[in-house]
Amino acid sequence: MIEISCCMIVKNEEKILARCLDSIRDLVEEIVIVDTGSTDRTKEIAARYTDRIYDFEWIDDFAAARNFAFSKATKDYIYSADADEVVDEENRARFRDLKQVLLPEIDIVQMKYGNQLHQGTVYNFDEEYRPKLFKRLREFIWTEPIHEMVRLEPIVFDSDIVIGHFPQSVHSKRDFATFQKHIRKGLRLSKRLHHMYAMELYISGDSEDVLEAEEFFTSTALDPNRSIDEVKEAVCIVCRAARIRDDSHTMLKMSLKDLLTEGSSEMCWELGEYFLGKGDVSEAAMWYYNAVHESQSILSIHASTDWPQNRLKELGY
């Protein structure tokens, strides 16, 4: 049977840390807690479960904190947990079964992250697979009987374990501030982070957040080195900002960059909101219809479902 180190990074989690650790303490052989600057009772609560508690000076880098936590693990596999997660009894049983049968060649085990849409989190699916269990030391194996090569791709196993996600609050403001700090440093966001920033803004950003991000997304919308997917994401944010500012010229210019290809539900929604704000109900209804029936969402599933559907009901369509 494999042995597991649970590694966590925490800050001011006194309200929920015990709930998380109670659900996993007997599933793992080691608990490593890395605190990034708590000012409440987080470390005191963590000490009830482990003496492997470390301080890490926060440098606006979650990856650095995770890497530090992983460096303190000593067991076969590392389970990466967050304080707002809970493993219920059904999935605790699945977790124990997994430990008994996991094959040593498995490098990563994915588990389903659940209960997302009910907690106001910035995701589009109630359940989705995430890598949660990692082999601590990976062996490099040569493959192929001729023209041999080292296997580079990890072997990933999709388990049936569902991790309950029960956050106390949405962390979007924290994330937006971190994105802006990296942008001000002149760092280029990867395609993945570009998508995450746009998605989080579109789902949970308020007007202030969108306007603050407008300059960055305008620059990426006009960047010839960005992919078409990134451009389409960027113009959705810029159009929302332009709508907030009642800037018709920018709305037209940026919406056409999306509509030159297959239009997104987000852009249809933005145009519907724009025309509704101008009192043109029939034009707005047409774009809401297109958001639901003639396009697909790229940032928020709400843009192709309940947002325009509710508007159509309100307008009597």
Side-chain angles (χ1 to χ4, degrees):
M1 183 179 74
I2 64 168
E3 292 191 336
I4 297 176
S5 301
C6 173
C7 289
M8 304 177 65
I9 57 173
V10 297
K11 181 180 180 181
N12 293 337
E13 304 287 8
E14 65 176 5
K15 294 181 179 179
I16 56 176
L17 182 58
R19 181 186 68 180
C20 172
L21 292 175
D22 283 339
S23 76
I24 60 175
R25 65 188 306 179
D26 60 341
L27 300 177
V28 300
E29 284 67 39
E30 177 179 68
I31 297 175
V32 174
I33 302 289
V34 171
D35 189 275
T36 62
S38 292
T39 55
D40 62 3
R41 296 174 53 248
T42 293
K43 289 200 288 185
E44 176 187 334
I45 294 168
R48 301 175 193 167
Y49 300 85
T50 181
D51 60 358
R52 305 289 307 281
I53 302 171
Y54 303 89
D55 291 314
F56 183 83
E57 183 179 355
W58 183 241
I59 55 173
D60 295 314
D61 190 332
F62 283 97
R66 296 275 187 202
N67 286 334
F68 179 75
F70 273 33
S71 75
K72 301 301 181 182
T74 66
K75 303 304 180 182
D76 305 320
Y77 282 81
I78 300 173
Y79 176 64
S80 181
D82 289 324
D84 57 8
E85 298 173 3
V86 177
V87 185
D88 63 22
E89 284 304 321
E90 179 181 1
N91 288 288
R92 280 165 45 80
R94 291 172 176 168
F95 203 115
R96 284 190 290 267
D97 290 343
L98 176 71
K99 291 183 66 175
Q100 295 286 341
V101 302
L102 189 65
L103 298 174
E105 59 263 33
I106 301 297
D107 298 307
I108 297 173
V109 176
Q110 295 205 119
M111 302 177 186
K112 293 179 181 178
Y113 220 47
N115 205 48
Q116 299 192 129
L117 296 181
H118 299 286
Q119 297 295 320
T121 51
V122 290
Y123 300 99
N124 286 313
F125 303 97
D126 203 39
E127 286 187 354
E128 63 177 351
Y129 271 119
R130 291 190 181 185
K132 294 294 290 180
L133 189 66
F134 305 87
K135 196 169 188 178
R136 186 173 65 87
L137 298 177
R138 185 180 174 194
E139 298 173 345
F140 287 96
I141 306 296
W142 287 90
T143 62
E144 308 294 356
I146 188 171
H147 298 303
E148 69 280 0
M149 64 174 291
V150 171
R151 177 174 60 81
L152 301 177
E153 295 298 322
I155 296 179
V156 180
F157 173 66
D158 291 341
S159 74
D160 59 355
I161 299 171
V162 180
I163 308 299
H165 186 210
F166 301 97
Q168 293 285 296
S169 61
V170 177
H171 301 298
S172 297
K173 289 290 185 181
R174 175 201 66 190
D175 293 348
F176 298 152
T178 301
F179 278 121
Q180 284 295 319
K181 284 180 182 178
H182 284 276
I183 291 167
R184 285 194 290 270
K185 290 178 182 178
L187 300 177
R188 181 181 176 87
L189 296 187
S190 67
K191 184 175 181 179
R192 174 180 172 272
L193 283 184
H194 187 278
H195 173 73
M196 293 298 294
Y197 189 15
M199 181 180 71
E200 200 164 354
L201 267 175
Y202 207 82
I203 294 175
S204 64
D206 58 26
S207 295
E208 180 183 357
D209 301 321
V210 173
L211 292 173
E212 183 179 30
E214 182 180 9
E215 181 180 358
F216 167 74
F217 282 104
T218 298
S219 68
T220 64
L222 302 176
D223 185 346
N225 295 315
R226 289 288 185 179
S227 67
I228 185 62
D229 291 337
E230 291 169 296
V231 170
K232 289 173 73 68
E233 293 165 358
V235 297
C236 288
I237 302 302
V238 177
C239 276
R240 173 163 288 189
R243 178 167 60 80
I244 293 169
R245 295 187 293 99
D246 195 24
D247 180 350
S248 301
H249 175 75
T250 299
M251 280 286 296
L252 176 62
K253 178 180 177 180
M254 290 297 176
S255 63
L256 288 175
K257 290 183 180 298
D258 176 75
L259 298 173
L260 283 172
T261 60
E262 182 179 351
S264 66
S265 294
E266 285 80 1
M267 191 55 65
C268 293
W269 164 258
E270 290 301 329
L271 289 169
E273 290 289 276
Y274 172 79
F275 285 111
L276 183 62
K278 297 298 183 182
D280 193 338
V281 172
S282 62
E283 188 71 13
M286 181 194 74
W287 286 109
Y288 293 139
Y289 179 91
N290 276 275
V292 177
H293 300 287
E294 303 295 339
S295 56
Q296 294 183 340
S297 57
I298 60 174
L299 294 175
S300 171
I301 195 172
H302 297 289
S304 60
T305 55
D306 56 305
W307 291 351
Q309 288 169 347
N310 290 338
R311 279 286 192 259
L312 288 168
K313 289 179 183 178
E314 293 169 7
L315 298 176
Y317 284 84

